[in-house]
mmCIF file of all heavy atoms in Angstrom:
data_model
loop_
_atom_site.group_PDB
_atom_site.id
_atom_site.type_symbol
_atom_site.label_atom_id
_atom_site.label_comp_id
_atom_site.label_asym_id
_atom_site.label_seq_id
_atom_site.Cartn_x
_atom_site.Cartn_y
_atom_site.Cartn_z
ATOM 1 N N CYS S 295 117.971 84.228 116.691
ATOM 2 C CA CYS S 295 118.494 85.570 116.914
ATOM 3 C C CYS S 295 119.233 86.081 115.693
ATOM 4 O O CYS S 295 119.905 87.102 115.746
ATOM 5 C CB CYS S 295 119.423 85.572 118.115
ATOM 6 S SG CYS S 295 118.558 85.147 119.631
ATOM 7 N N GLN S 296 119.168 85.381 114.599
ATOM 8 C CA GLN S 296 119.934 85.730 113.399
ATOM 9 C C GLN S 296 118.995 86.244 112.322
ATOM 10 O O GLN S 296 117.989 85.603 112.004
ATOM 11 C CB GLN S 296 120.650 84.473 112.890
ATOM 12 C CG GLN S 296 121.363 84.636 111.574
ATOM 13 C CD GLN S 296 122.801 85.089 111.759
ATOM 14 O OE1 GLN S 296 123.469 84.642 112.678
ATOM 15 N NE2 GLN S 296 123.255 85.954 110.886
ATOM 16 N N ASP S 297 119.309 87.418 111.774
ATOM 17 C CA ASP S 297 118.576 87.916 110.612
ATOM 18 C C ASP S 297 119.329 87.490 109.366
ATOM 19 O O ASP S 297 120.544 87.692 109.259
ATOM 20 C CB ASP S 297 118.473 89.440 110.653
ATOM 21 C CG ASP S 297 117.488 89.891 111.723
ATOM 22 O OD1 ASP S 297 116.410 89.297 111.800
ATOM 23 O OD2 ASP S 297 117.817 90.829 112.470
ATOM 24 N N GLU S 298 118.601 86.928 108.435
ATOM 25 C CA GLU S 298 119.244 86.421 107.226
ATOM 26 C C GLU S 298 118.540 86.974 106.006
ATOM 27 O O GLU S 298 117.303 86.993 105.955
ATOM 28 C CB GLU S 298 119.166 84.894 107.214
ATOM 29 C CG GLU S 298 119.903 84.264 106.042
ATOM 30 C CD GLU S 298 119.877 82.746 106.150
ATOM 31 O OE1 GLU S 298 118.827 82.153 105.860
ATOM 32 O OE2 GLU S 298 120.899 82.177 106.528
ATOM 33 N N ILE S 299 119.312 87.425 105.029
ATOM 34 C CA ILE S 299 118.707 87.856 103.778
ATOM 35 C C ILE S 299 118.479 86.627 102.912
ATOM 36 O O ILE S 299 119.357 85.771 102.780
ATOM 37 C CB ILE S 299 119.609 88.876 103.066
ATOM 38 C CG1 ILE S 299 119.634 90.166 103.893
ATOM 39 C CG2 ILE S 299 119.100 89.162 101.649
ATOM 40 C CD1 ILE S 299 120.513 91.239 103.352
ATOM 41 N N GLU S 300 117.276 86.549 102.366
ATOM 42 C CA GLU S 300 116.929 85.442 101.495
ATOM 43 C C GLU S 300 116.369 85.998 100.198
ATOM 44 O O GLU S 300 115.934 87.152 100.132
ATOM 45 C CB GLU S 300 115.890 84.536 102.171
ATOM 46 C CG GLU S 300 116.402 83.930 103.468
ATOM 47 C CD GLU S 300 115.374 83.029 104.148
ATOM 48 O OE1 GLU S 300 114.290 82.810 103.579
ATOM 49 O OE2 GLU S 300 115.667 82.550 105.254
ATOM 50 N N SER S 301 116.361 85.184 99.172
ATOM 51 C CA SER S 301 115.768 85.589 97.895
ATOM 52 C C SER S 301 114.685 84.593 97.520
ATOM 53 O O SER S 301 114.742 83.417 97.908
ATOM 54 C CB SER S 301 116.839 85.646 96.802
ATOM 55 O OG SER S 301 117.304 84.347 96.524
ATOM 56 N N VAL S 302 113.692 85.072 96.788
ATOM 57 C CA VAL S 302 112.607 84.199 96.354
ATOM 58 C C VAL S 302 112.108 84.712 95.002
ATOM 59 O O VAL S 302 112.058 85.936 94.781
ATOM 60 C CB VAL S 302 111.474 84.167 97.400
ATOM 61 C CG1 VAL S 302 110.783 85.520 97.541
ATOM 62 C CG2 VAL S 302 110.452 83.096 97.097
ATOM 63 N N PRO S 303 111.769 83.834 94.071
ATOM 64 C CA PRO S 303 111.222 84.304 92.790
ATOM 65 C C PRO S 303 109.886 85.014 93.007
ATOM 66 O O PRO S 303 109.046 84.531 93.780
ATOM 67 C CB PRO S 303 111.033 83.012 91.987
ATOM 68 C CG PRO S 303 111.904 82.003 92.637
ATOM 69 C CD PRO S 303 111.965 82.372 94.089
ATOM 70 N N VAL S 304 109.699 86.158 92.344
ATOM 71 C CA VAL S 304 108.453 86.899 92.496
ATOM 72 C C VAL S 304 107.273 86.095 91.941
ATOM 73 O O VAL S 304 106.135 86.243 92.386
ATOM 74 C CB VAL S 304 108.566 88.275 91.787
ATOM 75 C CG1 VAL S 304 107.236 89.010 91.785
ATOM 76 C CG2 VAL S 304 109.625 89.127 92.484
ATOM 77 N N ALA S 305 107.561 85.222 90.999
ATOM 78 C CA ALA S 305 106.505 84.383 90.443
ATOM 79 C C ALA S 305 106.115 83.252 91.393
ATOM 80 O O ALA S 305 105.122 82.556 91.164
ATOM 81 C CB ALA S 305 106.952 83.803 89.110
ATOM 82 N N GLY S 306 106.897 83.092 92.465
ATOM 83 C CA GLY S 306 106.625 82.016 93.423
ATOM 84 C C GLY S 306 107.705 80.958 93.350
ATOM 85 O O GLY S 306 108.226 80.662 92.272
ATOM 86 N N GLY S 307 108.051 80.407 94.491
ATOM 87 C CA GLY S 307 109.093 79.380 94.519
ATOM 88 C C GLY S 307 109.670 79.267 95.909
ATOM 89 O O GLY S 307 109.125 79.821 96.865
ATOM 90 N N ARG S 308 110.773 78.555 95.993
ATOM 91 C CA ARG S 308 111.359 78.269 97.305
ATOM 92 C C ARG S 308 112.366 79.369 97.671
ATOM 93 O O ARG S 308 113.232 79.694 96.863
ATOM 94 C CB ARG S 308 112.066 76.914 97.221
ATOM 95 C CG ARG S 308 112.567 76.378 98.524
ATOM 96 C CD ARG S 308 113.285 75.060 98.311
ATOM 97 N NE ARG S 308 113.759 74.534 99.578
ATOM 98 C CZ ARG S 308 112.997 73.876 100.438
ATOM 99 N NH1 ARG S 308 111.735 73.647 100.140
ATOM 100 N NH2 ARG S 308 113.494 73.442 101.575
ATOM 101 N N PRO S 309 112.264 79.936 98.882
ATOM 102 C CA PRO S 309 113.247 80.936 99.303
ATOM 103 C C PRO S 309 114.632 80.319 99.445
ATOM 104 O O PRO S 309 114.776 79.186 99.903
ATOM 105 C CB PRO S 309 112.722 81.421 100.661
ATOM 106 C CG PRO S 309 111.304 80.976 100.720
ATOM 107 C CD PRO S 309 111.202 79.740 99.886
ATOM 108 N N GLU S 310 115.647 81.090 99.037
ATOM 109 C CA GLU S 310 117.027 80.627 99.139
ATOM 110 C C GLU S 310 117.800 81.583 100.031
ATOM 111 O O GLU S 310 117.693 82.806 99.877
ATOM 112 C CB GLU S 310 117.689 80.616 97.752
ATOM 113 C CG GLU S 310 117.047 79.674 96.758
ATOM 114 C CD GLU S 310 117.336 78.215 97.086
ATOM 115 O OE1 GLU S 310 118.296 77.969 97.836
ATOM 116 O OE2 GLU S 310 116.572 77.348 96.611
ATOM 117 N N PRO S 311 118.599 81.079 100.970
ATOM 118 C CA PRO S 311 119.411 81.982 101.804
ATOM 119 C C PRO S 311 120.499 82.654 100.970
ATOM 120 O O PRO S 311 121.067 82.042 100.063
ATOM 121 C CB PRO S 311 120.010 81.041 102.848
ATOM 122 C CG PRO S 311 119.959 79.686 102.244
ATOM 123 C CD PRO S 311 118.793 79.661 101.307
ATOM 124 N N VAL S 312 120.774 83.921 101.292
ATOM 125 C CA VAL S 312 121.828 84.652 100.587
ATOM 126 C C VAL S 312 122.993 84.901 101.535
ATOM 127 O O VAL S 312 124.110 84.470 101.303
ATOM 128 C CB VAL S 312 121.284 85.988 100.034
ATOM 129 C CG1 VAL S 312 122.408 86.776 99.359
ATOM 130 C CG2 VAL S 312 120.147 85.741 99.042
ATOM 131 N N THR S 313 122.709 85.592 102.658
ATOM 132 C CA THR S 313 123.760 85.893 103.630
ATOM 133 C C THR S 313 123.119 86.447 104.891
ATOM 134 O O THR S 313 121.934 86.802 104.892
ATOM 135 C CB THR S 313 124.767 86.905 103.049
ATOM 136 O OG1 THR S 313 125.812 87.135 103.993
ATOM 137 C CG2 THR S 313 124.080 88.223 102.731
ATOM 138 N N ALA S 314 123.878 86.562 105.955
ATOM 139 C CA ALA S 314 123.356 87.137 107.199
ATOM 140 C C ALA S 314 123.257 88.654 107.044
ATOM 141 O O ALA S 314 124.208 89.294 106.587
ATOM 142 C CB ALA S 314 124.265 86.793 108.364
ATOM 143 N N GLY S 315 122.133 89.250 107.415
ATOM 144 C CA GLY S 315 121.979 90.696 107.327
ATOM 145 C C GLY S 315 120.530 91.113 107.202
ATOM 146 O O GLY S 315 119.619 90.268 107.235
ATOM 147 N N VAL S 316 120.323 92.436 107.088
ATOM 148 C CA VAL S 316 118.972 93.005 106.938
ATOM 149 C C VAL S 316 119.042 94.146 105.910
ATOM 150 O O VAL S 316 120.110 94.494 105.434
ATOM 151 C CB VAL S 316 118.428 93.557 108.280
ATOM 152 C CG1 VAL S 316 118.183 92.445 109.272
ATOM 153 C CG2 VAL S 316 119.373 94.591 108.864
ATOM 154 N N LEU S 317 117.904 94.726 105.583
ATOM 155 C CA LEU S 317 117.774 95.909 104.725
ATOM 156 C C LEU S 317 118.444 95.724 103.358
ATOM 157 O O LEU S 317 119.345 96.478 102.988
ATOM 158 C CB LEU S 317 118.347 97.147 105.424
ATOM 159 C CG LEU S 317 117.724 97.516 106.764
ATOM 160 C CD1 LEU S 317 118.436 98.729 107.366
ATOM 161 C CD2 LEU S 317 116.248 97.810 106.628
ATOM 162 N N PRO S 318 118.016 94.745 102.573
ATOM 163 C CA PRO S 318 118.656 94.535 101.270
ATOM 164 C C PRO S 318 118.311 95.635 100.275
ATOM 165 O O PRO S 318 117.234 96.216 100.318
ATOM 166 C CB PRO S 318 118.051 93.194 100.819
ATOM 167 C CG PRO S 318 116.725 93.132 101.505
ATOM 168 C CD PRO S 318 116.913 93.819 102.830
#
Side-chain angles (χ1 to χ4, degrees):
Chain S
C295 296
Q296 174 90 39
D297 287 315
E298 184 176 76
I299 292 178
E300 299 180 4
S301 68
V302 66
V304 173
R308 188 182 181 81
E310 297 288 341
V312 177
T313 183
V316 293
L317 302 178

